[in-house]
Amino acid sequence: SSTILNDIYAELPFLNNNIDNLKKYKENAIYILIRNYELDDICETILNYVNRVVYPYYDFVFLNDKAFDPYFIEKTSHYILNRINKGSERLAKQLIRISYGLINNDIWDPLQNIDEYNPSLNLTRLKENWEQQEKDNVLYGGSRSYRNMCRYQSLGFYKHPLLNDYKYTMRMEPGVKYTCDFDPFLELRENTKYAFTIALLEYENTIPTLFDTYKEYPFLKYKQAELFKFIQGSDDGYNRCHFWTNFEIISLDWVRSVEYNNLMDYLDQKGGFYLERWGDAPLRTLAVVETLNVNEVQWYDIGYFHNPFSSCPGSYEVRKLRKCCCDAWDPENMDKIPNEDAPNYNVPLGLQDFSCLKEWWKFGEGKHFLFKDYDNL
Ligand code: GDP
Ligand code: MN
C-alpha cells in the first residue's frame, strides 16, 4: 500500500521516492550457510548486524544441507525483524524477505555418487588420506563435511534457486562481529564484482598442488592480469595471499559467468577439494585474479572479527566516521609497523605478520576513504 511505500521512502531517503531505486535496493541479500546448532552464534551476529548496518532492511537467505529446525527459523527471523532499533519494526516486516533453503544432498556431497562425480577418486582411499591429513595437522583435514562446505561456497551456493532473484550477496557467518558502522551494498562502487575486508596467508598444507594445477588451466591469463601481483610469489609460485571469504560481497552475475564457472569446474575436476583440503578462499581469490580487473575489486575498511582474526580501520578519521569500537594498533608501537606503502594506515590488529593488505595497497587503494555520503552518519 502507499502508506508503506511512504514509510519506506521516509526511512530510506537515498531512494529519492523512486520505485526503481527501491527495486535495486531489494536486489541485495545477506547469505548465510549454517547448521541448526549454530543458532546461538548467529543470533549474536544478527543483533550486531542490525545495530551496525546503516540501513538494515536487506533480505536474508539461509541455506543448510539439513532441514532447518522450526525453532531456528522462528528465532533468527525474530532477531532480524524485531531488533531493529534504528528504524521501524513495522517497516522491517514489510520490507525484509527471509528465506530458508535446503541444499540437495547430491549437490552438497558429490561423493554420494563418486563414480559419476570423478571416476579417479576412491572413497576408501580418500578416507585414509583424510586420516593422515588430520595427523599432519591439516586444518579440518579429517572432515568430509568441511570439504563439502568449501566446495559449495566455491561453486554451489549461487546456483540455489533462493538466490535467483538477487544480484549481490553479503556472506555472514555465525560468531562474526562488526565493530564499525557500514552498509554492505550502499558502499559498493558501480563496477564492483567482489569486495573483501581481511586478506591473509593460506596454510600451505591445505593446498599443496592448487597453484600448479591453476597454472595448467588451459585458458590461463593470470600473468597478464594486473591482479596477479596480489598472489605473485617467488619463483613463479603462489605467495598464499587470499581474500578471507567469511566476509565477502559478491556480484552473482560474476560468479554465474562462464569464465568463473569454467575455472571452478576445471579445479573441481582435479579433485583437490577432496584429495587435499582446498578452501573456498584461495579458490575465490584465483577466480578474482583470473577473471576480474583491479577496479572491480573493493576493499571494505571496516571493523570485523571472525575467530581468530580481526581488523580495524587504521585511520582515526575512518574510525570516527564509522563510529568504530575496535582497537586500532597502539601508536606506541608504530615503529613496528611496515607502513611505508600505506602511511595513513595501521596494520589491522592481529594481522601484522600475515596480513596481505600490504599486497592490496600496491594497487593504490587504502590511502583514501570510500564511503558514500549518508546524511545520518
Ligand atoms: P571456519 O570459519 O573456516 O572455521 O568454518 P565454519 O565452521 O565457520 O564454516 C563456514 C561456514 O559454513 C559457516 O557459516 C558454517 O555455519 C557453515 N558450515 C560449515 N560446515 C557446514 C555443514 O556441514 N553444513 C552446513 N549447513 N553449514 C556448514
Ligand atoms: Mn567461520
Side-chain angles (χ1 to χ4, degrees):
S1 77
S2 69
T3 2
I4 271 299
L5 210 52
N6 287 339
D7 279 5
I8 293 171
Y9 291 143
E11 196 75 26
L12 308 176
F14 55 87
L15 295 178
N16 294 321
N17 295 3
N18 180 324
I19 195 83
D20 291 329
N21 289 343
L22 177 58
K23 282 186 191 141
K24 201 154 184 289
Y25 179 82
K26 296 304 294 175
E27 286 173 350
N28 305 308
I30 309 300
Y31 152 67
I32 309 175
L33 175 70
I34 193 162
R35 294 158 287 203
N36 285 304
Y37 64 79
E38 295 172 299
L39 176 62
D40 188 356
D41 284 342
I42 200 63
C43 284
E44 284 295 323
T45 300
I46 291 167
L47 199 55
N48 186 190
Y49 161 93
V50 297
N51 278 298
R52 280 302 186 178
V53 168
V54 185
Y55 295 107
Y57 299 104
Y58 300 112
D59 289 354
F60 274 71
V61 176
F62 291 85
L63 298 182
N64 191 348
D65 59 304
K66 308 253 161 51
F68 278 115
D69 291 340
Y71 191 79
F72 182 99
I73 293 175
E74 184 192 317
K75 280 295 161 283
T76 48
S77 291
H78 171 83
Y79 272 72
I80 292 164
L81 298 176
N82 301 47
R83 297 287 169 133
I84 293 188
N85 58 13
K86 281 194 285 208
S88 113
E89 183 183 326
R90 183 172 105 95
L91 187 68
K93 286 182 174 153
Q94 295 289 330
L95 201 50
I96 301 174
R97 183 170 62 179
I98 309 174
S99 332
Y100 297 86
L102 182 65
I103 302 162
N104 182 318
N105 202 249
D106 296 338
I107 292 172
W108 176 257
D109 186 2
L111 304 184
Q112 300 270 327
N113 311 301
I114 194 163
D115 295 334
E116 204 182 301
Y117 171 57
N118 188 334
S120 73
L121 297 179
N122 172 289
L123 199 54
T124 317
R125 246 180 292 135
L126 280 181
K127 285 178 179 166
E128 287 163 11
N129 249 336
W130 299 342
E131 263 176 50
Q132 188 56 46
Q133 291 178 27
E134 186 71 22
K135 283 184 200 142
D136 295 341
N137 291 317
V138 174
L139 191 64
Y140 298 109
S143 171
R144 174 171 176 171
S145 69
Y146 193 85
R147 288 183 166 84
N148 290 339
M149 182 278 289
C150 291
R151 181 172 175 273
Y152 192 74
Q153 297 287 23
S154 299
L155 54 79
F157 79 95
Y158 51 88
K159 298 169 188 163
H160 196 284
L162 284 180
L163 286 171
N164 278 353
D165 293 341
Y166 297 107
K167 286 240 184 300
Y168 290 89
T169 51
M170 181 192 93
R171 174 156 150 197
M172 181 185 282
E173 286 203 3
V176 155
K177 289 191 185 76
Y178 310 101
T179 54
C180 301
D181 282 8
F182 75 111
D183 196 300
F185 304 110
L186 289 177
E187 289 187 48
L188 220 47
R189 292 190 304 249
E190 195 78 48
N191 48 6
T192 298
K193 305 278 195 315
Y194 188 76
F196 69 99
T197 182
I198 287 179
L200 40 64
L201 295 178
E202 180 58 299
Y203 299 104
E204 187 136 39
N205 63 4
T206 62
I207 49 164
T209 69
L210 174 62
F211 200 65
D212 286 342
T213 307
Y214 167 58
K215 287 197 293 189
E216 284 160 17
Y217 180 53
F219 307 100
L220 189 75
K221 69 158 205 262
Y222 77 105
K223 278 199 161 175
Q224 290 88 33
E226 201 186 348
L227 276 166
F228 179 62
K229 291 193 200 94
F230 180 71
I231 61 164
Q232 184 167 28
S234 54
D235 303 326
D236 221 13
Y238 179 29
N239 65 7
R240 292 187 284 128
C241 282
H242 65 294
F243 305 115
W244 217 27
T245 47
N246 49 63
F247 176 94
E248 61 181 352
I249 298 163
I250 291 187
S251 155
L252 295 174
D253 285 343
W254 169 55
V255 289
R256 287 171 185 144
S257 70
V258 174
E259 293 76 14
Y260 180 93
N261 286 282
N262 276 349
L263 176 61
M264 283 300 158
D265 292 344
Y266 164 80
L267 293 171
D268 185 32
Q269 274 311 296
K270 295 293 178 180
F273 285 116
Y274 297 100
L275 288 165
E276 298 179 3
R277 216 245 51 221
W278 293 355
D280 56 292
L283 267 76
R284 187 92 73 232
T285 304
L286 293 181
V288 166
V289 169
E290 182 66 20
T291 66
L292 297 182
N293 298 316
V294 172
N295 66 2
E296 293 171 314
V297 183
Q298 188 176 344
W299 172 47
Y300 271 49
D301 189 16
I302 59 174
Y304 179 76
F305 166 81
H306 175 295
N307 192 34
F309 303 119
S310 63
S311 65
C312 180
S315 147
Y316 175 66
E317 285 308 309
V318 175
R319 293 202 298 280
K320 200 164 66 173
L321 197 55
R322 291 189 182 277
K323 305 179 176 75
C324 297
C325 65
C326 51
D327 296 316
W329 187 259
D330 183 349
E332 303 251 55
N333 292 320
M334 280 301 272
D335 59 332
K336 292 189 192 147
I337 297 165
N339 64 351
E340 55 291 337
D341 291 332
N344 301 321
Y345 281 81
N346 301 327
V347 173
L349 193 68
L351 284 177
Q352 51 279 29
D353 288 333
F354 39 95
S355 174
C356 285
L357 282 178
K358 293 190 289 307
E359 309 305 313
W360 179 253
W361 288 330
K362 285 179 186 164
F363 302 114
E365 222 191 341
K367 290 168 188 166
H368 52 279
F369 180 50
L370 301 157
F371 199 68
K372 289 235 174 114
D373 249 351
Y374 313 131
D375 32 35
N376 68 338
L377 265 175

